[in-house]
Amino acid sequence: MGTLGLQEKQQGQAGRMSSEMICCPNCDLLCSSQLVVTGEALRCPRCSYTLQKPKKNTFARVKALSLAGLLFYIPANFLPIISFEIFGIEKVSSIFDSVATLVQQGYLHVALIVLFTSLVFPLLTLSFLLFVSLGMYSKRKPQNVPQMFRWYHHLEEWGMTEIFLIAALITIIKMYHLAGVGYQIGFFCYIGLVISCVGCSLALDKQYYWAEIEKTFASHGDFKIEEHSHHRTEKHLTAKEAGLVLCHVCHKLTRMEKTKGEAQEKCPRCQAALHSRYPNSIARTWALIITATIFALPANILPIMEVKQFGITQRSTIMDGIIYFFQDGSYGIGLIIFTASIIVPLFKIVGFLIILNSIHFSRLTRLKPKTKMYRFISFIGRWSMLDVFVIALLCASVDFGFFSDVSAAPAAVYFTAVVIATMFAAVSLDPRLLWDKVR
Ligand SMILES: [Zn+2]
Ligand SMILES: [Zn+2]
């Protein structure tokens, strides 16, 4: 482990490595890394995107946290997390049970989304991080390290353990007056898993990792390190104007060879396909936003949950669920679900319409707030899954036959579709299109 200390010491310089010329992924502006320094973070002078923010001991922290997360993974997901007791009948349920119950109730699509976002993707992202962290400095230098880190980049926002934990807490509060609630061992393991997952993404310095990957694998003969650092720094010169292209994944600047078509170009560092702008960005985003808007209607009108008590069936919509919390006096929870299920999807759809309209009519006003709004929409989008997770947990944990039984209802499918469509819209929209007409 002697080299580890050295590597950690080099980390401070790694943030500054190859940084004479960097490019903003949100507005395509080329700038010198010495241009704006706010504290330790380097922000884009045009759209205030955080270009660089070196993090201390990233390698050691990510390695430890991803390993801890993997150790928590099995007990957290397969051991019971909560138990509810009604009329002397106790029902314990695990995270995996919530997926299995949705399948039994015939909601395969929702079950698959819950399965991937709460079980599969967290496992993959933790495994990729550990593999990359170990592989970067191992003697064998496994060839798929850059590929694994690229996959991590794509899957990162789709692992939603922390949202599932908040959903579990809401479920407990919802059931508190109706049943005896017991915390099981899995619950505490799940908290460990969430801390590990969130800790990993907070501790991860992607630029440092990519720089190290490039150094390690370049010496192995895989990558050529491009020399384009001494470009002129003109005011508002974009990468596109300078004949450079920024990798969407690892943010490496590469010279675009005019002889090759865009689609054939691969990033020399992470092997992702290079595009000056995302292909068909506008058309894809429009298609996804229209899809989300259409699904938003049945998602809000149809019932999302069905409660059977003593043979009487009560069906409730998203809004009914929110009103329930307000009538119950749980204003905080009501407000959280109202924000996650109603405000966020609405804000996302309206926000995308404003951005698309701005691109379409080449409006050059308020570009900075619009870019900030795009970043906010991308960040907040996944939290709308909260209500779907609450329903999944209620279905699994409230199954007392004749006395009380909760199951999902059709709006769950439409609502999940809205969330997924708007998340994909955020991925397919290229914010640089907003800035392209600026002269
Ligand atoms: Zn920018
Ligand atoms: Zn790349």
Side-chain angles (χ1 to χ4, degrees), residues 210 247-252 267-272 274:
W210 278 122
C247 173
H248 307 317
V249 177
C250 74
H251 295 176
K252 186 178 174 64
C267 170
R269 183 156 73 177
C270 76
Q271 298 296 305
L274 286 177

Side-chain angles (χ1 to χ4, degrees), residues 72-183:
F72 281 124
Y73 184 82
I74 299 278
N77 285 299
F78 295 93
L79 289 183
I81 55 163
I82 31 180
S83 65
F84 291 129
E85 193 189 327
I86 299 178
F87 306 116
I89 312 165
E90 196 189 40
K91 167 95 178 133
V92 289
S93 51
S94 67
I95 306 277
F96 185 74
D97 290 337
S98 61
V99 177
T101 315
L102 282 171
V103 174
Q104 279 166 14
Q105 291 176 357
Y107 288 92
L108 187 66
H109 295 98
V110 185
L112 282 176
I113 300 290
V114 176
L115 176 75
F116 278 97
T117 53
S118 66
L119 279 128
V120 178
F121 293 147
L123 176 65
L124 289 179
T125 49
L126 287 171
S127 310
F128 290 159
L129 276 186
L130 187 64
F131 181 84
V132 170
S133 303
L134 295 176
M136 267 195 324
Y137 299 127
S138 78
K139 287 203 182 87
R140 267 186 57 238
K141 292 182 184 171
Q143 287 307 292
N144 41 5
V145 164
Q147 192 184 38
M148 290 282 175
F149 202 50
R150 200 176 78 219
W151 285 350
Y152 169 79
H153 170 89
H154 290 304
L155 294 183
E156 190 187 8
E157 66 166 338
W158 294 92
M160 302 184 186
T161 48
E162 74 277 31
I163 304 174
F164 210 97
L165 181 66
I166 304 290
L169 294 173
I170 291 175
T171 310
I172 290 166
I173 293 169
K174 194 165 183 155
M175 293 299 294
Y176 217 78
H177 306 304
L178 309 169
V181 179
Y183 299 92

Side-chain angles (χ1 to χ4, degrees), residues 24 27 44 47:
C24 173
C27 73
C44 170
C47 75

Side-chain angles (χ1 to χ4, degrees), residues 194-418:
V194 172
I195 291 171
S196 309
C197 288
V198 175
C200 271
S201 49
L202 291 178
L204 182 66
D205 183 341
K206 285 185 193 164
Q207 265 130 354
Y208 167 74
Y209 263 70
W210 278 122
E212 287 297 297
I213 287 172
E214 186 169 50
K215 269 196 269 173
T216 313
F217 290 86
S219 63
H220 211 245
D222 274 18
F223 302 131
K224 53 185 189 297
I225 294 179
E226 306 267 328
E227 287 290 338
H228 41 223
S229 52
H230 299 295
H231 242 281
R232 63 206 183 282
T233 324
E234 286 169 22
K235 210 181 179 196
H236 291 335
L237 178 72
T238 64
K240 195 176 188 178
E241 287 161 353
L244 301 173
V245 59
L246 182 80
C247 173
H248 307 317
V249 177
C250 74
H251 295 176
K252 186 178 174 64
L253 264 178
T254 312
R255 184 161 292 285
M256 187 63 112
E257 284 177 42
K258 290 210 170 67
T259 47
K260 279 190 186 176
E262 263 204 356
Q264 277 105 54
E265 291 269 3
K266 286 258 189 317
C267 170
R269 183 156 73 177
C270 76
Q271 298 296 305
L274 286 177
H275 303 283
S276 177
R277 298 291 176 268
Y278 299 164
N280 305 322
S281 170
I282 305 287
R284 278 162 67 181
T285 313
W286 267 117
L288 288 159
I289 290 304
I290 292 168
T291 311
T293 312
I294 293 169
F295 283 144
L297 287 173
N300 284 287
I301 295 168
L302 294 177
I304 197 161
M305 198 171 74
E306 201 177 273
V307 183
K308 280 193 199 112
Q309 270 183 317
F310 303 108
I312 302 161
T313 306
Q314 258 193 323
R315 297 179 129 210
S316 58
T317 60
I318 294 176
M319 208 57 206
D320 293 335
I322 295 161
I323 291 166
Y324 168 85
F325 278 115
F326 278 102
Q327 283 173 346
D328 193 43
S330 311
Y331 298 109
I333 306 292
L335 212 59
I336 290 171
I337 300 204
F338 181 67
T339 309
S341 311
I342 309 272
I343 302 279
V344 170
L346 192 70
F347 181 77
K348 273 156 71 180
I349 291 172
V350 173
F352 278 121
L353 289 177
I354 291 170
I355 293 170
L356 286 168
N357 177 60
S358 197
I359 296 170
H360 195 72
F361 295 104
S362 305
R363 292 194 207 286
L364 301 178
T365 51
R366 298 172 183 273
L367 291 183
K368 195 170 169 177
K370 282 172 195 163
T371 314
K372 281 186 174 175
M373 181 171 72
Y374 159 79
R375 287 200 288 269
F376 182 68
I377 289 173
S378 309
F379 166 77
I380 203 83
R382 51 211 285 284
W383 280 91
S384 296
M385 283 300 283
L386 192 65
D387 212 19
V388 177
F389 290 155
V390 170
I391 291 164
L393 277 165
L394 280 173
C395 290
S397 49
V398 185
D399 179 12
F400 298 98
F402 178 75
F403 297 117
S404 194
D405 183 23
V406 173
S407 52
V413 181
Y414 297 110
F415 186 74
T416 312
V418 173

